[in-house]
Amino acid sequence: MLLGAVCALSVMAGAGPVRADPLTLDTLLGLETFGRIAVDPTGRVGVFEERRARNDLPRFDLQAEGALWYARLHRIDLGSSGRSRPLLPQADDAGYRMGPFSPGGSRLVVYRLQGLSLRLGLVELDTGAVTWTDVSPESGAWGRAVEWLSDDALLVLGMPDGGLPPRLEQMNALQQQAPGLWARAASGQAAYVTSGSDVPPPPPPARRLWRIDARTGAAESLSEGPFLDFEVSPDRKHAALLQDGPILPPPDADTATELRRARTLRLVNLETGAAIDPSAAVDISTSLLSWAPSSEALLVAALGDRPTLFAVAPGGTARQVTPKGVSLDTAVDVYGSPTVQAGWSGGAPVVLGSLNGTPGWFLQGPDGAVPLEGVRRQARLTAQGRSSLLFADGGRILRVGPDRLARDVGAAATAVRPDGPFGQRSRFDPLKSGEAVVARDGDRLCRIRADDPQAEACLHAAPGAAVGWASGAVLERGAEGRGLNTLTLRTADGTRIVIRLNPELDAVERILPREVRGASGARGWLYLPQRTGAAPPPVVVIPYPGKTYASPPAAMIPESVNLVQNGALLVAAGYAVLYPDLPETPEPADGLADRLLAVVDAAADEGLVDPLRIGLWGHSFGAWTVAMSASQSSRFGAIVAHNGIYQLASAIGDTSSSDRIAGANDYTNSGNARWLETGQARMLRAYWRDPERYRRNSPFEAADRINAPVLLVHGELDTAPDQAGQMYAALRRLHRPAALTLLFGEAHGIHGPGNARVYYEQVLTWFDRHLRPDGDADAPSNTAARLP
């Protein structure tokens, strides 16, 4: 950091321009990033995660999920010098993350991942002492993993046997389980996994609800079951737990619109330990566990054939409270699970749905369903008080009081909640929040309360900052570019930089984007290398279907630490890189090549790129895009496709090796069906209803029309490695130049430094060989295409 500051001062002092170096893979592998940043409820202490560089991780078999856990924790005493120091002693072979602060700010939950062991700890912020428990916590992917009952007690969702939570465990399940099966088979014992209609599905992973004494770290088990998420009642007397269940068949045999499991509810009395599974709360949505402010009932949504809103009393009694005539909105989330959004307006439920074909938010009045005037369908409930609600709607915050009229109270903004982090449910459920944040006068954030229009606290801060409302201290990162590496503290005494990561990026060339527009709405962002001659450079197009870029793609800045598809490394190697807009079309493959070439030709018309030297590089569904495009035009000179799907008809059965060994075929295949039919692939119906549509949109079926050299790369742990093998076999059978690389230990991304080096060496060599054959790219390579 000191060296970076000296270099910056030299430039300001007129020492002359500093030569900008190209970005390298080694630089990317050495970059650190910020994780969670939060300020305790009293505003005295700030804590932040400094995520370790990719080449500095203790192990790499936990994939992307594991990389998020390998951080170091630092604290800042906001009222003193503002300098950071380690929050607690931290081992080199472990990673640390922060959880929620206690209500009074005296303690902080922390997590330690060491080897294949995850443990929850409690830090005393006044003394710095840490108590490590024997509890392995859930990761909190669905909603909550931890909730404080008081400064001295908390509830934790954790694993019953101290093992890793499923999101981490599944990352290296194959490595852990396969040797045992192989050993059984080698000794002549039975070694098998069966899935099917007459085979009981594998049970969902069990968790325990633990009560932990924060003073001693002692843990008491309150309940055990296949829990995913929980929410404590406002009076702290009951906990509602979401229980996982068996997978359900798609509601329509022709089109898979969603991915559902039969999830249920458990209510646990925190004083007696008594547990009740209400019979009415079956097949419930993962998006809703909303306690009334009085704690007298919990809102859940049973999906079933006709989604229904229930208010469940702590004793288990359930009453149907869907406003009369209202059909609940059940849009699916990113997991394919149906969602329901609802909350409490005083003692009455309010819900998102439609009445007589009119969408909006409704509650039950004396004479039927009553709409909330001025609150649109896209509005999201962000806070609820005892008498008023706050909605985020179209970039504004609306307050709805007892009169049910919406009043605009300011531009919607965000600030870090000290009781987080939260998982997927936070996208739909306020999780007991009674306040929201608005932006005022361009540079101030103001906290507003649902029930008290006059209670407003404002500070100078940027949206997304960690704010100490009580002390006036603000911790915030820069908004873009090199600022993303900087953590700044604002107090009444002024503004100072707390820490600045990655000073080596100051010497790295910053590639500026250029917007390109062509005929018929063709548009994209172009990045150009430094010219070394008069001829325009070859261009590599990085497309993704359905993607449009209102602003330059974030993947092109070094701070994104993008290892999967880093276009900046190609620019550093002398290529122009183009990100085109690809809005959806009725048939996914319609005119793909022409749409890409329209943007390339627009750039070529300005003399910016060589239209005779065009490469395509795609990842995931982008890999499908580049293979499909190559079958539609002979103008593409080289193709690199990473982790793609190429034969849509067979994609329904693609299952990762870790899912196969867990017997999770049915769940994975149901997700594949949704992806194919109503998800990203947009086939719009099952294969057997329109096989020709699948064939027209499958690169495998058009392999005989692909003449460009194709490099296929696939993570051996990803869902569909056989797809790359089939595409490779087709191209080789047709005597086309092709190569196939399987990256072992990799799933859908690139995580290991060794694999990253192989991957980029092969990508660059492939493009050099086929787009710059007269250059200096003639060295032998294991990706060289060799015809039989």
Side-chain angles (χ1 to χ4, degrees):
M1 287 188 293
L2 178 60
L3 177 61
V6 170
C7 291
L9 287 172
S10 298
V11 172
M12 289 187 290
V18 177
R19 182 179 65 84
D21 297 324
L23 181 68
T24 67
L25 180 58
D26 283 335
T27 299
L28 281 176
L29 292 172
L31 296 182
E32 298 170 320
T33 57
F34 289 113
R36 179 169 162 81
I37 302 165
V39 173
D40 86 281
T42 69
R44 298 179 303 116
V45 176
V47 177
F48 67 91
E49 298 171 357
E50 180 187 6
R51 290 179 182 156
R52 295 167 69 167
R54 192 57 59 88
N55 62 10
D56 187 36
L57 304 186
R59 59 192 303 154
F60 298 90
D61 57 342
L62 297 178
Q63 301 292 315
E65 185 73 14
L68 297 177
W69 289 87
Y70 291 124
R72 300 180 178 92
L73 295 178
H74 303 267
R75 69 175 285 164
I76 308 163
D77 296 311
L78 303 177
S80 58
S81 66
R83 293 190 178 92
S84 67
R85 55 189 172 91
L87 174 69
L88 71 163
Q90 297 168 72
D92 288 340
D93 65 343
Y96 299 82
R97 294 184 78 177
M98 63 183 296
F101 288 95
S102 64
S106 60
R107 294 185 173 95
L108 173 67
V109 171
V110 293
Y111 309 101
R112 180 187 64 206
L113 176 63
Q114 193 166 27
L116 295 178
S117 171
L118 180 67
R119 290 294 179 265
L120 180 141
L122 298 156
V123 176
E124 300 275 352
L125 292 177
D126 284 341
T127 66
V130 59
T131 300
W132 291 106
T133 73
D134 292 328
V135 171
S136 174
E138 177 52 76
S139 61
W142 291 100
R144 289 189 192 268
V146 176
E147 187 168 5
W148 286 90
L149 300 174
S150 68
D151 276 338
D152 296 330
L154 65 157
L155 294 184
V156 178
L157 205 60
M159 309 311 296
D161 56 1
L164 289 176
R167 260 179 94 88
L168 276 170
E169 184 184 50
Q170 69 185 14
M171 295 295 118
N172 77 337
L174 182 69
Q175 296 95 310
Q176 297 300 310
Q177 297 172 27
L181 288 170
W182 291 329
R184 290 177 60 85
S187 64
Q189 301 179 69
Y192 68 97
V193 177
T194 303
S195 300
S197 300
D198 56 348
V199 177
R207 284 93 162 174
R208 282 184 182 168
L209 182 66
W210 301 91
R211 186 197 334 249
I212 296 180
D213 186 326
R215 296 163 298 188
T216 64
E220 172 192 5
S221 177
L222 299 178
S223 190
E224 182 171 337
F227 306 136
L228 295 177
D229 189 7
F230 77 101
E231 191 72 24
V232 175
S233 60
D235 63 8
R236 302 295 192 248
K237 293 182 179 179
H238 295 86
L241 294 113
L242 175 70
Q243 301 186 109
D244 208 2
I247 189 168
L248 297 173
D252 186 337
D254 289 338
T255 309
T257 57
E258 58 195 41
L259 177 60
R260 284 167 61 180
R261 300 185 77 119
R263 291 174 169 133
T264 57
L265 178 69
R266 176 168 295 179
L267 295 170
V268 175
N269 187 313
L270 298 179
E271 296 175 339
T272 67
I276 299 172
D277 294 359
S279 59
V282 295
D283 188 15
I284 64 173
S285 171
T286 58
S287 64
L288 182 64
L289 290 174
S290 180
W291 284 98
S294 64
S295 299
E296 65 185 16
L298 173 81
L299 276 184
V300 296
L303 296 166
D305 294 331
R306 180 177 175 80
T308 304
L309 196 64
F310 283 98
V312 185
T317 304
R319 57 190 174 92
Q320 198 266 93
V321 293
T322 309
K324 187 176 180 180
V326 172
S327 299
L328 302 187
D329 187 299
T330 56
V332 296
D333 64 14
V334 295
Y335 296 107
S337 300
T339 64
V340 174
Q341 297 185 57
W344 295 89
S345 178
V350 58
V351 65
L352 175 64
S354 297
L355 178 64
N356 299 324
T358 302
W361 284 81
F362 301 89
L363 57 77
Q364 180 65 43
D367 301 318
V370 179
L372 300 185
E373 297 295 338
V375 184
R376 300 179 297 171
R377 179 203 175 282
Q378 59 264 40
R380 186 174 71 86
L381 180 61
T382 60
Q384 59 183 32
R386 288 188 170 271
S387 60
S388 298
L389 304 171
L390 296 175
F391 289 89
D393 186 359
R396 309 295 295 178
I397 295 293
L398 309 179
R399 176 182 278 113
V400 178
D403 60 3
R404 302 192 300 274
L405 296 178
R407 295 173 175 83
D408 190 321
V409 294
T414 57
V416 176
R417 285 177 60 172
D419 56 338
F422 307 114
Q424 178 70 0
R425 179 163 57 95
S426 64
R427 294 166 57 89
F428 312 99
D429 187 333
L431 288 96
K432 289 203 290 288
S433 175
E435 59 192 39
V437 177
V438 298
R440 302 245 192 260
D441 305 327
D443 64 347
R444 290 193 305 152
L445 296 184
C446 297
R447 181 187 62 186
I448 58 174
R449 300 190 186 279
D451 279 340
D452 189 351
Q454 306 306 317
E456 186 171 300
C458 295
L459 292 170
H460 288 283
V467 178
W469 299 106
S471 66
V474 175
L475 279 174
E476 59 188 11
R477 293 173 62 191
E480 58 185 359
R482 299 293 186 263
L484 294 170
N485 292 310
T486 302
L487 182 62
T488 301
L489 170 63
R490 293 194 196 192
T491 65
D493 297 329
T495 300
R496 64 178 72 90
I497 293 176
V498 174
I499 186 172
R500 191 167 180 268
L501 305 178
N502 309 319
E504 62 268 34
L505 287 180
D506 291 339
V508 171
E509 175 189 7
R510 192 155 194 86
I511 312 164
L512 298 179
R514 176 168 182 157
E515 188 178 19
V516 175
R517 291 184 178 271
S520 303
R523 178 182 170 277
W525 293 96
L526 180 67
Y527 295 80
L528 294 170
Q530 293 184 359
R531 286 279 187 97
T532 57
V539 59
V540 174
V541 184
I542 302 179
Y544 202 87
K547 189 84 171 176
T548 59
Y549 299 93
S551 57
M556 282 296 291
I557 64 172
E559 291 80 6
S560 71
V561 195
N562 171 22
L563 290 182
V564 173
Q565 205 173 16
N566 198 299
L569 294 179
L570 287 183
V571 175
Y575 290 91
V577 170
L578 178 64
Y579 287 81
D581 284 355
L582 268 187
E584 290 183 354
T585 53
E587 184 134 340
D590 275 352
L592 268 180
D594 289 341
R595 296 162 70 197
L596 302 183
L597 291 169
V599 191
V600 172
D601 288 340
D605 288 344
E606 297 184 51
L608 302 175
V609 302
D610 185 344
L612 301 180
R613 295 187 292 163
I614 309 170
L616 298 177
W617 186 17
H619 166 71
S620 190
F621 206 41
W624 169 90
T625 307
V626 302
M628 198 77 239
S629 299
S631 74
Q632 297 176 351
S633 174
S634 60
R635 287 185 57 188
F636 303 113
I639 312 295
V640 176
H642 176 224
N643 282 23
I645 298 291
Y646 310 104
Q647 172 57 290
L648 297 183
S650 64
I652 190 171
D654 288 323
T655 307
S656 70
S657 49
S658 58
D659 283 341
R660 283 198 297 269
I661 205 169
N665 297 60
D666 288 349
Y667 185 75
T668 302
N669 299 157
S670 294
N672 293 349
R674 180 183 177 272
W675 178 84
L676 282 165
E677 295 162 21
T678 55
Q680 193 175 44
R682 292 181 297 111
M683 290 295 96
L684 305 182
R685 56 194 66 91
Y687 166 77
W688 301 272
R689 297 294 181 261
D690 192 352
E692 287 305 312
R693 182 175 173 88
Y694 282 71
R695 294 195 66 188
R696 290 193 305 270
N697 289 278
S698 292
F700 179 87
E701 300 283 350
D704 60 334
R705 299 195 296 272
I706 297 176
N707 293 294
V710 178
L711 169 62
L712 296 150
V713 183
H714 213 95
E716 158 260 352
L717 294 176
D718 197 20
T719 299
D722 290 344
Q723 287 269 341
Q726 291 167 9
M727 193 69 199
Y728 172 72
L731 294 170
R732 295 288 284 179
R733 172 64 185 85
L734 293 163
H735 292 199
R736 304 293 195 269
L740 171 64
T741 296
L742 279 179
L743 295 176
F744 280 77
E746 301 288 357
H748 201 55
I750 303 284
H751 302 289
N755 281 336
R757 290 190 173 93
V758 168
Y759 176 59
Y760 279 97
E761 177 186 357
Q762 293 193 351
V763 168
L764 289 168
T765 300
W766 195 260
F767 284 133
D768 283 349
R769 184 172 300 280
H770 300 292
L771 298 182
R772 298 197 295 201
D774 298 327
D776 56 353
D778 293 327
S781 167
N782 59 346
T783 59
R786 296 181 179 89
L787 295 179

